[in-house]
Amino acid sequence: MTRARPARGGAVTLALPWPVWVPAIVGFGLIAVPVAGLVVRTDWPDFGALITTDAALDALLLSLQTGLISTALCLLLGTPLALVLARSNLPGLPVLRSIVLLPLVLPPVVGGLTLLFLLGRTGPIGQLANDWFGITIPFSTPAVIIAQTFVAMPFLVVSLEGALRTAGERYEIVAATLGASPLTALRRVTIPVVLPGLISGSVLAFARALGEFGATIAFAGNLQGTTQTLPLLIYIQSQNDLDGAVAMSLVLVVVAVLVIVATRTRDASGVR
Amino acid sequence: MTRARPARGGAVTLALPWPVWVPAIVGFGLIAVPVAGLVVRTDWPDFGALITTDAALDALLLSLQTGLISTALCLLLGTPLALVLARSNLPGLPVLRSIVLLPLVLPPVVGGLTLLFLLGRTGPIGQLANDWFGITIPFSTPAVIIAQTFVAMPFLVVSLEGALRTAGERYEIVAATLGASPLTALRRVTIPVVLPGLISGSVLAFARALGEFGATIAFAGNLQGTTQTLPLLIYIQSQNDLDGAVAMSLVLVVVAVLVIVATRTRDASGVR
Amino acid sequence: MTTRRGGFTLDVSFEVAPGEVVAVLGPNGSGKSTLLGTLAGLYTPEDARITLGGRVLTDTAAGVGVPAHQRRVGLLSQQALLFPHLTARDNVAFGPRCAGRSRRESLAAARERLVDVGVGDLADRRPAALSGGQAQRVAIARALAVEPELLLLDEPFAALDVDAAPAVRSVLRRLVRDTGQTTLLVTHDVVDAVVLADRLVVLTEGGVVEQGPTAEVLARPRSAFAARIAGLDLVAGTASDAGLTTPDGTTVFGLASEQVAPGEPAVAVFPPSAVAVHRKPPEGSPRNVLPARLAALEPQGEVVRLRAAAAPGGPPWVDGLAADVTPAALAELGAEPGDDLWFAVKATEVAVHPRRR
Amino acid sequence: MTTRRGGFTLDVSFEVAPGEVVAVLGPNGSGKSTLLGTLAGLYTPEDARITLGGRVLTDTAAGVGVPAHQRRVGLLSQQALLFPHLTARDNVAFGPRCAGRSRRESLAAARERLVDVGVGDLADRRPAALSGGQAQRVAIARALAVEPELLLLDEPFAALDVDAAPAVRSVLRRLVRDTGQTTLLVTHDVVDAVVLADRLVVLTEGGVVEQGPTAEVLARPRSAFAARIAGLDLVAGTASDAGLTTPDGTTVFGLASEQVAPGEPAVAVFPPSAVAVHRKPPEGSPRNVLPARLAALEPQGEVVRLRAAAAPGGPPWVDGLAADVTPAALAELGAEPGDDLWFAVKATEVAVHPRRR
Amino acid sequence: GGSSGGEQQAPPTRTLTVSAAASLTDVYNQLKPQFEQANPGTTVRFNFGGSDTLAQQVVQGVPADVLATASTRTMQTAQQAGRIQGEPVTYATNKLQIAVQPGNPKGVVDLTSLVGPQVTESICAPAVPCGAATEAAERAAGVTLDPVSEEQDVRSVLQRVTTRNVDAGLVYLTDVKASNGQVQGVDFPQASAQGAGQNYLIGAVTGSQNADLANGWIQFVTGPQGDAALQQAGFALK
Ligand SMILES: Nc1ncnc2c1ncn2[C@@H]1O[C@H](COP(=O)(O)OP(=O)(O)OP(=O)(O)O)[C@@H](O)[C@H]1O
Ligand SMILES: Nc1ncnc2c1ncn2[C@@H]1O[C@H](COP(=O)(O)OP(=O)(O)OP(=O)(O)O)[C@@H](O)[C@H]1O
Ligand SMILES: [Mg+2]
Ligand SMILES: [Mg+2]
């Protein structure tokens, strides 16, 4: 006889149907086993030395900085965009929605090239920036952030939109009848209610930004300390030193797990 | 004075707060303008010829096939995984969750290499497959599908998990009191209720699979008709002929938009 | 105003004076919630003109539709829908905060309202940790805390236990009396209407079948629905220690149903079924024995309703009172219109409710 | 069983016989919903043993906890919670489908239940297109369609209009009578308990303060809460055309509150406040004039309750009946224990309800 | 895969799989029809990619018959894993040039002209073959360049110049040629220094099912027809 498992507050957690477990385990394995392979392949004796080179430390720091800034930008720009997609009734919404998804479909290198065409020294916007402010966007840290934001934003937008639709707008309606302006309702009701979706979305965006390679190298270039994020270093390294690349991939993986577990632990203690 | 906009069923759509629109437009622009740049740069006179080469047509077909199969696999394996993450109370859930996210963080080429280490003929699993069934996994279409599924699944899992958490389990509890087994409740209640999240997730996974490059080229190789998907062809093309690469990127973009609009239109007519 | 929802059409027109309380009654699905939703700006009517204190809220002809949050119309909907992420106190403080009051002020107001509805000790709980009736009380507190120009309450007393319902009703009455809060109240309980409302609107199938001052509609219901819920005897006057004093000085003995101070306007209410009819003044426990001249006999299903006119020399307010008796009792009594009879009502059957104006 | 929810602890113990209907009464937050949820398997009790027809559902000592869907315990919760993506009919057909009945059979059963609760014409609607009362009725139909071994109903009649509540109550009574459905019913309305329940359980602050056969608890409530909601006069017998015939052959005149066939077991119910007390048998409309010997005087707040014993030669069932009068009336009557009096009750004040067994 | 579907009728159908460096795309595609004509019933399919990835794939036992890399080191990787049959052949070389905007507006003459902020340049990362070559040239010239970016491959360097995001870049002669005049090449003396060149190697993969065909392709590429195509693309023959 199946046993109901007790959970906090005395509420029973419903049992998951057993046919769910088999594919769940297969799916998990599909992801976890190759990653475990990475761990196995790592050259542990030299691990410390491999990951504490100047270049590796620079890249790690830059990756964390740009990843967090990009995630913040995604939140800042992507949350409103998700709201528009989920809650407005603009004409042509399905088309807008699929345009937002394009950075996902574009091979990242092509994405980087499109950014370069636009913001490069001879691009329509890049030229203005260059002529007026003397700024060259490519080859700079801001370029890394732009590239990461470009590729990561759709993740936030799409998963937040899904959560907004699932949540519905009944609480927002209640807020309106209590006199809350749309902005207040957004801040004090909508956002807290869809917090799980917002967190999922941010985690996705952060992970994607952290792992971003193609668009960055195509648009921002690859210079230690300025634009060389960890994935770029890993890729370049993998060309002649696979052990070093594997070791650094592991660092990337560990950093990602740490940041995500930290975020999620906060979430779990919050509101359902 | 702001006007309430009428919607179907006579229910008012709540106005979005105005400060939402500015970042939404900026965010949209960040994505749309570079893509529009792609359109502008395309060599329209030769467009038809560029995209109807044998290689291009093969790649397009292969991309669509593998993309759809991978998405189906993601649904099959990722939905159960999301359920486990959202609804079970396994110990160490935050860690499992972040492991699922790793393919997002790993630079795709590294991901592809880890798959190669595992499933190549000399890899632990690849060797078994080779010795027992005479199957060589790399350089085959299934390898493309494995690579795409590996990179795309986290998208489905994470956005579905967000939706599951946002929806809560009150309807599943009702179903249980009506005598529904967990599997029936899943099929007839949970899935329909989180349908928007499931669709978002599938769209994300499909888009990611369609745009997948690094893991595929590293693991599955780049063989016309067998493993050369559109992004791989674009890469090879960009070695010599940026115009051709741009044209083909545009095809990828159009295909993605068509598939997504088609899916979403069905969604919009469905349940909220 | 006309509002369509799928195949259902609501088509009503009425006015509410500032400070007035109007009760909306009607069977399930008659359009009460749709009416409230339209007033609150949640449904776009097809064709409507809604004004509130000089402001046009909706005018489909002119294309005006003020959004919900700018209407200053508060709505307590049929489902409590407390914000799940906020404590009870923060839920109640939400409205005052939106109205621009300071955090401290809002929390103080919230605490006060929660105490009013009897859940002051649950202020720090999340909605998930409240029982159904507790959640409903918090929702009422939240709606009251807004103090909007027009308050819409959709079945506020459902889910409340036998003690809570009158208590919360008293709170609402006090608020309405003290602040002149204009209110539209949907209820299935006629006592709510008697205690709180100046006027009644009865809806059936999307249309108004009856409206008018509470006492009038209840005393002489013209629609089938109103007749079923109402048909009460009401006597207006001022509260006294013994019950109620009518304008002509007579005392109607009764029990105060809720707090009412002597001298306050009040109404004595009793069901016609509680009225015993006699040929001679009866001795015994019934405290109210009133001379009445039988004006009419109205068969009402299983019972016959005897309608009184004032008897010569008797209190004038007896005019219009009804007594329900079984046909057998009537046969034994042998009463005919024009006969002088005595209506006897026990004091314990007479509920004295406070009355507005 | 002991269940903890946050700071609240429910600690109760009772039995329900197969085919029995037990009403659970109690103030808001007393643990009624927690009790039902624990029985349905939604909360894990700290320490409990729950058996149903020989099956052990929960036994914390033995580590047994049958999951909710295998308990064959149906629950109608306080919120309707209709599946938003299914039509009313599919919502109701959900339970039968889960029980393994065919699609056609389930839909037919669903249609029947919807007609029973009066919303047969809304079968194709989604929940979003239903009014509050309509949704509640569909939820009731959904709970009834399951035909579980134990049916738990949490305030099923809230939100129903004045016509619907008795109608749905009749449906439930029919079901309970015809199929012997074991039921636990949470309600705030004592009439539900009278009509439907064999026994009452009164909860306060997580504990049982009173339980017993309905008539007994209502006639002699020992807890403050029960006294407030109850204190009714009940007379058992069989239904007749005039009202009710007691076992000794006396007729209690009254009006049938719902369909009850002559000869069926029934109970006549009237509030003590409706009983007029006289020294001499009064003439006039009151149909029920009963000789009674005053047994005791019980002050109850603003009124005094006169408790009767059977008068020599009078009907024996008068024993225990109560009459409430104001102190002033009592003073005028000058009655003392041992006096022989007449209790008069109008037939229109007596409700005859069908009775179980 | 359906690549062999069309040739089912001609019975001795064989497919030769050639893993080749992406910079060989044009040359090899040009040679393919000629080889197929010379060997009826044979289909050549290419797996173009970065030399390092190709070598890793061969090490992991992918079903390739021929490996053609653009560096000695990557070929050695495969060789050391025992995956190359016999000794690989070095059959072509390539040399560095400074790619500048057409007309050479910044007047670049050699590596020293690139030092300093007035001329921005992009080079290959030291870890990739062209970057190693660049480092060797720098050492020989005794200068240290101050690139704005170190690219993953030489095509990326070229792209920087063609899109005018930098003034100059160190690329191979073949790349300048392939740009169809979008850039201009500037020769510099240190291009022929030790290690500054690029070697193209080819070898048959151990365990190939088509060892004869693989050797046939190697001979074809290193033979006269191959030489002609390579020279036309700007490669120097070894
Ligand atoms: N989308 C819709 N399509 C068709 N009919 C609808 C739709 N939405 C609501 N209705 C109908 O509108 C009517 C009015 O609903 P409303 O909620 O206003 O009723 P109500 O008077 O508040 O009833 P209750 O007492 O049950 O709460 C109902 O009969 C309902 O079935
Ligand atoms: N998580 C929690 N923490 C603390 N107290 C809780 C929690 N959950 C429920 N309670 C308390 O448990 C008590 C019982 O709740 P329950 O829902 O069983 O009451 P009820 O008798 O059904 O009341 P109602 O008539 O209002 O529906 C309430 O007082 C409630 O405040
Ligand atoms: Mg309603
Ligand atoms: Mg409850």
Side-chain angles (χ1 to χ4, degrees), chain D residues 278-342:
Chain D
H278 303 264
R279 282 254 168 222
K280 291 179 292 181
E283 57 67 55
S285 65
R287 304 270 75 212
N288 302 297
V289 178
L290 306 163
R293 172 163 291 177
L294 187 57
L297 290 169
E298 306 161 1
Q300 299 227 334
E302 294 183 80
V303 302
V304 179
R305 178 160 291 178
L306 280 54
R307 186 72 68 179
W317 48 264
V318 168
D319 188 62
L321 289 190
D324 286 353
V325 300
T326 54
L330 180 64
E332 204 179 70
L333 206 60
E336 305 220 329
D339 288 0
D340 281 323
L341 300 169
W342 295 88

Side-chain angles (χ1 to χ4, degrees), chain C residues 300-312:
Chain C
Q300 297 225 336
E302 297 183 76
V303 301
V304 179
R305 178 158 291 177
L306 278 57
R307 187 69 72 181

Side-chain angles (χ1 to χ4, degrees), chain D residues 97-185:
Chain D
R97 289 288 283 149
C98 290
R101 291 168 65 183
S102 78
R103 205 181 139 66
R104 264 193 51 187
E105 252 186 319
S106 303
L107 287 178
R111 168 158 287 284
E112 206 177 301
R113 289 287 177 224
L114 286 172
V115 171
D116 281 349
V117 298
V119 287
D121 50 328
L122 306 178
D124 292 319
R125 294 258 188 96
R126 289 267 170 82
L130 296 175
S131 79
Q134 291 165 345
Q136 179 63 16
R137 294 196 219 182
V138 175
I140 294 171
R142 183 172 68 171
L144 295 185
V146 177
E147 298 175 12
E149 245 176 278
L150 171 63
L151 180 62
L152 308 172
L153 301 173
D154 205 345
E155 302 190 25
F157 308 122
L160 297 193
D161 66 36
V162 284
D163 291 337
V168 174
R169 195 161 56 208
S170 292
V171 170
L172 196 59
R173 200 179 60 82
R174 187 152 42 79
L175 173 89
V176 160
R177 195 186 46 194
D178 295 352
T179 65
Q181 172 72 63
T182 316
T183 306
L184 218 65
L185 169 81

Side-chain angles (χ1 to χ4, degrees), chain B residues 15-250:
Chain B
L16 283 170
W18 63 264
V20 158
W21 289 96
V22 177
I25 291 169
V26 172
F28 185 75
L30 176 61
I31 292 173
V33 172
V35 177
L38 206 63
V39 177
V40 171
R41 260 196 79 95
T42 301
D43 177 12
W44 289 107
D46 296 334
F47 186 71
L50 282 170
I51 64 160
T52 50
T53 60
D54 253 19
L57 292 177
D58 275 1
L60 178 60
L61 192 67
L62 186 69
S63 272
L64 278 177
Q65 286 173 341
T66 55
L68 291 174
I69 295 174
S70 304
T71 308
L73 271 177
C74 286
L75 274 169
L76 206 73
L77 305 176
T79 309
L81 199 47
L83 279 164
V84 169
L85 293 180
R87 294 274 192 269
S88 84
N89 47 8
L90 289 183
L93 217 52
V95 175
L96 293 189
R97 185 180 290 119
S98 45
I99 288 177
V100 170
L101 282 172
L102 292 183
L104 276 175
V105 192
L106 275 187
V109 174
V110 176
L113 286 176
T114 64
L115 286 175
L116 188 65
F117 296 153
L118 192 74
L119 301 175
R121 205 151 56 177
T122 56
I125 296 179
Q127 203 152 21
L128 291 185
N130 201 33
D131 293 354
W132 294 1
F133 310 105
I135 299 169
T136 313
I137 302 170
F139 281 23
S140 65
T141 307
V144 178
I145 292 167
I146 292 174
Q148 289 179 349
T149 308
F150 177 76
V151 297
M153 191 148 65
F155 293 71
L156 186 100
V157 175
V158 173
S159 64
L160 183 57
E161 196 204 338
L164 281 168
R165 284 183 182 277
T166 303
E169 38 184 357
R170 47 206 179 115
Y171 291 115
E172 289 154 47
I173 290 173
V174 173
T177 64
L178 294 171
S181 69
L183 188 63
T184 308
L186 173 66
R187 217 164 34 84
R188 298 204 45 213
V189 177
T190 314
I191 298 290
V193 166
V194 298
L195 202 61
L198 196 64
I199 292 177
S200 304
S202 310
V203 165
L204 279 177
F206 175 72
R208 180 66 184 89
L210 204 62
E212 162 46 30
F213 163 71
T216 310
I217 200 167
F219 174 50
N222 179 17
L223 301 168
Q224 185 186 334
T226 310
T227 65
Q228 188 175 63
T229 55
L230 215 40
L232 269 62
L233 181 63
I234 290 170
Y235 162 74
I236 291 299
Q237 195 87 13
S238 74
Q239 291 286 315
N240 310 337
D241 174 8
L242 216 53
D243 285 340
V246 167
M248 254 155 349
S249 300
L250 215 59

